[in-house]
Each structure stands twice: as structure tokens, then as C-alpha cells.
């Protein structure tokens, strides 16, 4: 049973190149739901997890405006990896071994999105991000090829500004 919605967790690192441009590296994970499938006389129960490793460019169209609330657009892509695992197996003659009857799929694809950044202090910021992730495998995983999704993430982030020119005499 796959869910229409899933919990998505993402961690990222972003580096600002200019006021209007950032680069971002992110790692994400989503549980697509529990699955039950039959192999020979065994009923296997497991789950399907989808992982993402992405690089993005973040463009702030109003980066030099001085506004607190900053809208942005993102474009990028990377690796999507999905894995079906088995947690339980039912059979009188079968003992479960980790890794048995598991399968995975991998694809490289793009990602597009946008969002809002709001600094609430000099080191803490809030983030709202909406992103389209087109994930289509050539081979079905649990009879499904298309794992595309729209993600909506809300987050808190640490804003590191680095040493200023005034506090570091070697930096000019």
C-alpha cells in the first residue's frame, strides 16, 4: 500500500556566491509506504524508501533589495535511489536473512522549485521550499516506474556568515 503523501526529510549545505546566487548540496529520504509481496510460498512485508543526492543553484531575484523575506527559484539535479527492503517474512520452512529478496533502482534526473527564506536573527533562518522531483525508473520497482513527487519542506537553518573583514586582518 503506497501512500499519496509521505514524510520527507532533507538535510543540506548551501554556499552563497553572490547576493543573488547560492549553490546547494542536499541529501533527502522518503518512505513511500509498506509493501507485502509473495515469493514462492513466502509472504514478505517490507517498505520502499527513496533517497536523493542533489546539487542545486538557488537564484534570489530580489537579493540586493534588502527585503527580509527573500523569494528564490531553484534548478538542479542528481541521483535518486529507491530500495525495497524486507522486514518480515512468513513461512514455516524459511528463516529470514537480511538482504534476501530486496531490490533497488537508480536514476539521474533534474529537480525544479522555489521558496522563501526569512532570517529571524543573525544566525537563525526559516525556510519554505516547494520542489518537483521527476523520478522515473526504466524498470518497475514494486510494479511502479514513476516515483515523481512534489515536496513541500519547512525548515530551520543556521546562518553562518564567516569571519568579517573587520575581525580578520588577513582577509581583504
Amino acid at each position: 500500500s503506497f501512500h499519496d503523501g509521505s514524510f520527507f526529510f532533507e538535510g543540506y549545505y548551501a554556499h552563497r556566491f553572490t547576493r543573488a546566487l547560492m549553490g546547494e548540496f542536499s541529501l533527502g529520504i522518503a518512505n513511500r509506504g509498506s509493501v507485502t509481496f509473495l515469493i514462492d510460498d513466502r509472504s514478505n512485508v517490507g517498505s520502499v524508501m527513496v533517497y536523493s543526492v542533489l546539487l542545486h543553484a538557488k537564484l534570489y531575484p530580489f537579493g540586493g533589495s534588502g527585503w527580509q523575506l527573500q523569494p528564490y527559484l531553484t534548478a538542479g539535479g542528481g541521483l535518486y535511489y529507491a530500495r525495497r527492503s524486507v522486514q518480515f517474512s512468513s513461512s514455516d520452512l524459511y528463516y529470514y536473512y537480511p538482504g534476501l529478496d530486496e531490490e533497488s533502482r537508480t536514476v539521474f534526473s533534474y529537480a525544479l522549485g522555489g521558496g522563501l527564506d526569512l532570517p529571524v536573527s543573525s544566525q537563525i533562518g526559516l525556510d519554505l521550499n516547494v520542489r518537483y522531483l521527476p523520478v522515473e525508473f526504466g524498470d518497475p520497482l514494486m510494479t511502479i516506474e514513476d516515483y515523481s513527487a512534489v515536496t513541500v519542506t519547512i525548515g530551520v537553518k543556521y546562518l553562518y556568515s564567516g569571519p568579517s573583514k573587520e575581525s580578520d586582518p588577513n582577509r581583504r
Side-chain angles (χ1 to χ4, degrees), residues 9-98:
F9 178 79
E10 182 179 50
Y12 62 91
Y13 169 78
H15 183 82
R16 186 172 297 279
F17 298 109
T18 69
R19 286 186 175 187
L21 181 64
M22 288 181 84
E24 182 178 276
F25 170 75
S26 68
L27 299 170
I29 183 172
N31 184 337
R32 291 301 310 197
S34 62
V35 294
T36 303
F37 56 98
L38 297 173
I39 295 181
D40 299 328
D41 63 342
R42 304 185 310 272
S43 176
N44 296 316
V45 178
S47 62
V48 174
M49 303 290 282
V50 180
Y51 304 88
S52 62
V53 179
L54 304 173
L55 287 173
H56 294 277
K58 271 177 120 171
L59 177 64
Y60 291 85
F62 307 108
S65 68
W67 295 353
Q68 282 289 100
L69 186 64
Q70 285 290 317
Y72 62 83
L73 300 171
T74 66
L79 176 79
Y80 297 95
Y81 172 77
R83 179 173 167 256
R84 184 206 65 208
S85 62
V86 177
Q87 279 84 37
F88 305 101
S89 185
S90 65
S91 174
D92 295 336
L93 303 173
Y94 177 74
Y95 297 98
Y96 172 68
Y97 297 101

Side-chain angles (χ1 to χ4, degrees), residues 67-142:
W67 295 353
Q68 282 289 100
L69 186 64
Q70 285 290 317
Y72 62 83
L73 300 171
T74 66
L79 176 79
Y80 297 95
Y81 172 77
R83 179 173 167 256
R84 184 206 65 208
S85 62
V86 177
Q87 279 84 37
F88 305 101
S89 185
S90 65
S91 174
D92 295 336
L93 303 173
Y94 177 74
Y95 297 98
Y96 172 68
Y97 297 101
L100 189 64
D101 295 330
E102 295 182 357
E103 65 179 329
S104 64
R105 302 288 183 269
T106 305
V107 68
F108 287 95
S109 189
Y110 65 94
L112 300 172
L116 298 169
D117 277 345
L118 177 64
V120 292
S121 74
S122 63
Q123 293 183 326
I124 302 295
L126 300 177
D127 181 75
L128 170 68
N129 189 339
V130 178
R131 194 176 299 154
Y132 173 62
L133 307 172
V135 182
E136 293 186 37
F137 300 111
D139 268 343
L141 178 64
M142 290 306 302

Side-chain angles (χ1 to χ4, degrees), residues 148-167:
S148 298
V150 173
T151 64
V152 178
T153 57
I154 299 170
V156 176
K157 56 186 164 185
Y158 175 72
L159 306 172
Y160 176 73
S161 60
S164 66
K165 291 181 183 178
E166 293 80 32
S167 65

